[in-house]
Amino acid sequence: MKKHFLFLGIVIFATALSFALFNSLTKAQANSSVLSANNNIALQKVEIHQNDIQAELCIFLPSLEQWGPYATLIVDGKVISNSEVALINAKDPNTAKSQTRCYQFTFPVTVTEKMSKTAVLKLEKLTADYQGGLLTETGLVAIKKRLQETQPQIDFTVVIEKGKGGGGAYIQILAKPDGMSDDQAFQLIQQATIEEVPETWQEVVNLQ
Amino acid sequence: MKTHKLQPILTLTILAVLVLTLLPTNSVFAATCTGSGCNGIDPQGTTCWNDATIANWAWGSDGTMKNRNMYSPGCVSNWSYTLYPTATYLAAETVGVFRYEAPRTYTYVWNSMWDGSGLVCTRGYKGSSQGNYDIYSNSVCA
């Protein structure tokens, strides 16, 4: 009888453990999907205003992280960077759960009659704070580890200071190779804080 | 009262089953605060910071300074977050509510939270000293 109870307990425990591990594993796999360039981007609309042009793109993202897309608009050979990017339905809880998100890009262009009637809209890249960024505990550990792989001689810490009504943070370099300037070290640290996926999608849009 | 020898094992097993099945693997803990209850609270180091969405990005007139309109769905709150690649004088503003002007040079500056149940607009600033800003972003709302 005792053995039966013990066996039953072990079976229930093992089942629950397997369930929890499987659940965790499937979520991790869903977070690591790879973006396949052009098939995952769809232009929804383009709006022309007096002082800007807005374009809406829906993008299948590489993961559920907070990706920030960056786009350019080429008008008459001039490359205009987006000045604003808005996540559509940002406050809908389902938006963060979906790997496909839509963004409205704003390009500061004063529209004139002399302008070309078409432009090239180009999605240049997607960027995200690596592992949540420097201001989270897990992010800081991951970024330091990432930097160590290529720059083992650089060591740094992040100083966070709280003030009345807000706060600020800065990077303090603790060690760097001889001959490397602070600026170079900062640049390498900054690079390690960002995850970047280059994009090649582009489409001709009508400005009429 | 006589206690069965297997009782502690069974109790522990049932407890383990309950914990492992009921606790979500993406652990969701209670939010630090919600809505207007978050007004004036620093988001950094709270659950609000950790679940935040970047609702809107805006670049400054230099094309380098960035301002993010952050929104925490768990805390139903927004805040302004200004970034620059090197340490400089920055400010983060929730338009019409408050602006945090950092007293020294930083790479990242944020302000306190504000009720996100309605539309909240933010903007960022960069300058040569505290309160003296020549670069700023447009106001972006979410």
Side-chain angles (χ1 to χ4, degrees), chain A residues 11 38 42 84 112 117 125 156 174 185:
Chain A
V11 167
N38 292 345
E84 293 170 36
T112 63
K117 303 301 174 206
K125 61 184 176 182
F156 70 97
L174 302 174

Side-chain angles (χ1 to χ4, degrees), chain A residues 19-38:
Chain A
F19 176 77
L21 285 174
F22 174 76
N23 204 7
S24 166
L25 191 65
T26 49
K27 281 178 185 173
Q29 282 171 342
N31 281 347
S32 61
S33 301
V34 178
L35 182 76
S36 160
N38 292 345

